[in-house]
């Protein structure tokens, strides 16, 4: 989203594309997204706190930014990045699974549930088959050594 290379080896990462209204601030998007994920995690028994304003760090997981999710012991659990273009937003989240005690499938379910409950999708059925096929193609591309070692 920001153009830099950040290694998230072992993270549970996810992306959400959404319509971004002109007057909605980036901080407002982070707050809404992270509170949604927090709700999903809570439904799975994972208690978190929300980082307040005035915090921040240069590297992921070194220090929380405003509205990042924290463990109750004060470790950063979820952070994200945003990109906005032509009225659409891209949120990319990175969550530390070892701090949750949940499997990848449980994390996927918790994140999906939280976002859908607090930020409903415009459709109620599964995405079209063509979208899923394209997602599979892109997954193979971006997991390939050729793509990941091109720099």
């Amino acid at each position: 989203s920001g153009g830099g290379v950040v290694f998230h080896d072992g993270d549970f990462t996810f992306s959400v594309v959404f319509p971004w209204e002109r007057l909605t601030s980036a901080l407002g998007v982070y707050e809404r997204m992270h509170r949604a994920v927090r709700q999903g995690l809570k439904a799975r028994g994972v208690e978190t706190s929300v980082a307040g304003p005035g915090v921040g760090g240069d590297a992921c997981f070194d220090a929380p930014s405003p509205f990042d999710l924290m463990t109750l012991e004060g470790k950063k659990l979820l952070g994200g990045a945003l990109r906005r273009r032509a009225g659409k937003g891209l949120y990319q989240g990175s969550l530390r699974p070892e701090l949750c005690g949940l499997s990848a499938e449980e994390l996927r379910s918790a994140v999906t549930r939280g976002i859908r409950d607090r930020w409903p999708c415009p459709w109620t059925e599964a995405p079209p088959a063509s979208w899923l096929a394209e997602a599979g193609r892109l997954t193979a591309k971006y997991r390939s050594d050729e793509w990941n070692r091109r720099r």
Side-chain angles (χ1 to χ4, degrees):
S1 57
V5 175
V6 179
F7 293 102
H8 289 283
D9 189 29
D11 292 5
F12 176 83
T13 58
F14 61 97
S15 298
V16 178
V17 176
F18 58 95
W20 193 334
E21 297 173 14
R22 193 170 60 91
L23 298 178
T24 302
S25 72
L27 206 53
V29 173
Y30 283 120
E31 178 179 18
R32 188 173 183 185
M33 189 67 68
H34 290 187
R35 290 191 187 278
V37 173
R38 183 178 192 217
Q39 180 177 315
L41 290 172
K42 185 174 183 176
R44 290 282 184 166
V46 178
E47 293 293 333
T48 63
S49 63
V50 178
V55 296
D58 292 333
C60 291
F61 297 106
D62 281 352
S65 295
F67 300 111
D68 281 350
L69 294 188
M70 309 292 292
T71 66
L72 297 182
E73 296 77 33
K75 294 181 180 179
K76 184 172 172 178
L77 176 66
L78 170 70
L82 285 172
R83 181 92 186 225
R84 180 160 122 181
R85 284 208 178 146
K88 294 177 185 66
L90 167 65
Y91 169 88
Q92 294 177 306
S94 185
L95 197 146
R96 299 301 306 192
E98 73 275 9
L99 299 177
C100 295
L102 299 177
S103 70
E105 179 56 32
E106 290 169 323
L107 284 173
R108 186 201 60 78
S109 176
V111 168
T112 301
R113 176 182 176 179
I115 292 170
R116 282 193 176 161
D117 286 353
R118 292 206 46 159
W119 205 338
C121 297
W123 62 82
T124 56
E125 65 276 352
S130 62
W131 290 16
L132 297 175
E134 180 66 1
R137 186 188 73 76
L138 292 172
T139 297
K141 173 184 176 178
Y142 294 124
R143 285 187 176 167
S144 73
D145 280 343
E146 178 183 351
W147 176 265
N148 287 298
R149 298 191 187 280
R150 67 188 169 96
R151 291 187 181 198

